[in-house]
Amino acid sequence: MKTVDARGLSCPEPVMLTEEAVKSGERPVRVLVSEPHQKMNVEKYAKDHNISFTTEETEDGFAVVIS
């Protein structure tokens, strides 16, 4: 599983890093973000590209796992 640590980064960096990881072809991709709006943006990216995902809350933010 590839992990993208986007905690503390400003938008659109989390989405850009997510896109880069998804395009690499390595799946699943676990994207770590620290803010709710970053989580929503990564989830929106996955929805817009018809990619399934799950989201979990972590002690320091959120983890969006893209399948």
Side-chain angles (χ1 to χ4, degrees), residues 17-36:
L17 292 173
T18 299
E19 181 177 37
E20 183 179 307
V22 167
K23 286 184 176 180
S24 78
E26 186 179 341
R27 301 254 182 108
V29 176
R30 185 170 191 248
V31 183
L32 304 175
V33 294
S34 50
E35 300 297 326

Side-chain angles (χ1 to χ4, degrees), residues 9-22:
L9 298 178
S10 299
C11 288
E13 287 179 286
V15 173
M16 291 169 53
L17 292 173
T18 299
E19 181 177 37
E20 183 179 307
V22 167

Side-chain angles (χ1 to χ4, degrees), residues 1-6 13-33 42-43 45-46 51-56 62-67:
M1 177 181 306
K2 183 174 184 81
T3 299
V4 174
D5 189 352
E13 287 179 286
V15 173
M16 291 169 53
L17 292 173
T18 299
E19 181 177 37
E20 183 179 307
V22 167
K23 286 184 176 180
S24 78
E26 186 179 341
R27 301 254 182 108
V29 176
R30 185 170 191 248
V31 183
L32 304 175
V33 294
V42 172
E43 290 171 338
Y45 169 83
I51 303 170
S52 62
F53 66 91
T54 58
T55 303
E56 60 188 51
F62 303 93
V64 181
V65 179
I66 297 174
S67 313

